[in-house]
Structures are given as structure tokens and as C-alpha cells.
Amino acid sequence: MNLNLTKPICFFDLETTGVNISKDRIVEISILKIFPNGNEESKTWLVNPEMPIPKEVTAIHGITDADVSDKPTFKELAKEIYNMIKDSDLGGFNSNKFDIPLLAEEMLRADVDFDMKNRVAIDVQTIFHKMEQRTLSAAYKFYCNEELEGAHGAEADTRATFEVLKAQIAKYDEIENDTKFLAEFSSRKQFADFAGFIAFNKNGEECFSFGKHKGKLVTEVLETEPGYFGWLLNADFPLYTKKVLTAIKLRNFNNKF
């Protein structure tokens, strides 16, 4: 079956130096772009992370320091990658919680102004966990009745994610073949930033979800305790979180005039 698309969607997977959104780096990225007419475009890049790859991480994805030593850095690849995804929705496996936040960090470090304003994101893992509670390899076996060869390789995982989503839509009557529905169905709690430090309350207002100001409106905290904003910008928070906070502060400032 074909996905019912109104715009392209890019399924992607990252292999990285670790799982810290703020500090770890991409060592491989694979993108599978699906167009509304069913055409496909795919591209995989090995990336020099400019930092050592821990041995325990290499044991998982098989990518060594030697494999990426002569490869371009993410900053050198950023514009090419962004041009491939800029007109598209995004899809992945655990992508809302990990891949998209880390990709956003890498883009911002490379001075590419990445955001999710005009796109939706489908997390195939969330759909899977809501329906079956298993892993990508198990999902591929369960939905596609095949063994996943090359698991933990970005290209194999990306292709498997796309195939699993199509099988999920075919299997479950309650899952609609519509990117907006799939994005809403695969989303968790709604946050203004990827890392979950700024949540939306029931009125759609941004609130802090951590620390001494947990549950308080961001605009109120920034108004009554301006030094807190400076602390947040200088602390070890993800760049995208800082970008969102800055946007809220500027919006609040402009609303006064």
C-alpha cells in the first residue's frame, strides 16, 4: 500500500556517539524520502563526529573512529541534509524522543535554523508500543514477517521503519492513512521543545516542566525573575530549548508594544 501523503515525508535514522542530546554527535544518518506520488529518494552519509566513538557504542552500530576519520563533519553536510528534508514531514523509530532532538541540535550547531513549525512528525515506535510493546527488529518480524538483516545500521533501520509503518496502517483499522493523524497518534505529551523542558498546559500556554518553577508559565517566570533566563541560556540545556525560550521571551516583549 502507499501512504496517503499531502507533502513528502522523510524517514530517517541516526547512529551516534551516545544518547546525550546536548553532547553526543551523529556518525551516520540515512534518509528515505517518500513523495506523494510514491516516488522514493534515499541517501546515507557517514559523518565525522569530531569526537571519539566509545567502544561500547561501536559494539552496537559497528562504526569505528577509523570508519569516519576521513568523512565530512555534520557542519559540512548540514545544508545538503537540510535541503533534502526542508519541504517534508518527518518519520522515524523513537524519533520524537531522540533522533529529531539530536538532529535539531546538530543543525543549530551548524548554523542551520531548523524547526518543526510547518511539519509533523510520525514516531513509528510510539504506534508500535501502543499496539504491541516491542522493539524494531520484533516489529519488523511481527508486521512484515521477515528477519531484519543489518539491524542497528542506519540504512536497514530506516527502510524497516518505513515498511513497518505501512504494515501498521494495513493491519489496524483504527489507524488512518493520514500524516496528521499518524503524527498525533504517535506523539506523547505535548512539549514546546524536543527535550521536554517546556510543556504546554491545557490552555496551550508554555510552562516549565522541571525545577523550582515546574508548572509555572514561562512568560510569568521570565517577567518576575529575569535572571532565570540568563541562567538557562548559560546552563547545559539543548540549543533547541534555548531557541524556544528566546522566541517566547521575544514574543512576550513584542506583545507589550
Side-chain angles (χ1 to χ4, degrees), residues 3-11 33-39 85-90 115-122 178-180:
L3 290 181
N4 184 17
L5 303 176
T6 57
K7 65 191 293 187
I9 182 168
C10 285
F11 293 89
K33 186 171 187 176
I34 311 298
F35 294 88
N37 64 3
N39 289 347
I85 68 173
K86 65 182 180 181
D87 62 342
S88 305
D89 293 326
L90 298 178
D115 60 46
M116 295 291 293
K117 290 180 180 177
N118 298 312
R119 68 178 98 223
V120 298
I122 299 172
D178 174 80
T179 50
K180 185 176 180 180

Side-chain angles (χ1 to χ4, degrees), residues 90-103:
L90 298 178
F93 198 85
N94 194 33
S95 49
N96 285 356
K97 193 173 181 180
F98 180 73
D99 297 83
I100 292 176
L102 185 53
L103 179 63

Side-chain angles (χ1 to χ4, degrees), residues 25 27 32 61 87 107 109 120 145 149 169 191 199 212 217 237 241 245:
R25 300 290 189 268
V27 298
L32 174 62
H61 54 50
D87 62 342
M107 286 289 183
R109 277 192 289 266
V120 298
N145 197 30
E149 302 293 336
I169 295 169
F191 293 99
K212 65 179 182 179
L217 291 177
F237 287 95
T241 299
L245 283 168

Side-chain angles (χ1 to χ4, degrees), residues 180-201:
K180 185 176 180 180
F181 172 88
L182 292 167
E184 292 175 353
F185 188 82
S186 64
S187 68
R188 295 182 173 91
K189 185 176 180 180
Q190 295 299 306
F191 293 99
D193 67 329
F194 295 131
F197 291 110
I198 307 170
F200 290 108
N201 64 16

Side-chain angles (χ1 to χ4, degrees), residues 93-163:
F93 198 85
N94 194 33
S95 49
N96 285 356
K97 193 173 181 180
F98 180 73
D99 297 83
I100 292 176
L102 185 53
L103 179 63
E105 289 299 291
E106 290 277 38
M107 286 289 183
L108 292 173
R109 277 192 289 266
D111 298 320
V112 175
D113 190 18
F114 176 88
D115 60 46
M116 295 291 293
K117 290 180 180 177
N118 298 312
R119 68 178 98 223
V120 298
I122 299 172
D123 193 328
V124 175
Q125 185 193 61
T126 302
I127 298 174
F128 182 39
H129 285 181
K130 282 185 175 182
M131 308 305 291
E132 304 295 343
Q133 303 289 318
R134 299 186 186 174
T135 65
L136 177 57
S137 294
Y140 193 63
K141 176 66 175 177
F142 181 86
Y143 290 109
C144 304
N145 197 30
E146 295 182 28
E147 298 294 334
L148 177 53
E149 302 293 336
H152 296 300
E155 187 169 356
D157 287 357
T158 299
R159 170 63 64 176
T161 298
F162 172 52
E163 296 297 335

Side-chain angles (χ1 to χ4, degrees), residues 210-229:
F210 71 98
K212 65 179 182 179
H213 294 305
K214 184 175 181 179
K216 296 181 182 178
L217 291 177
V218 173
T219 52
E220 291 183 359
V221 173
L222 297 184
E223 182 77 21
T224 59
E225 193 177 335
Y228 194 61
F229 177 72

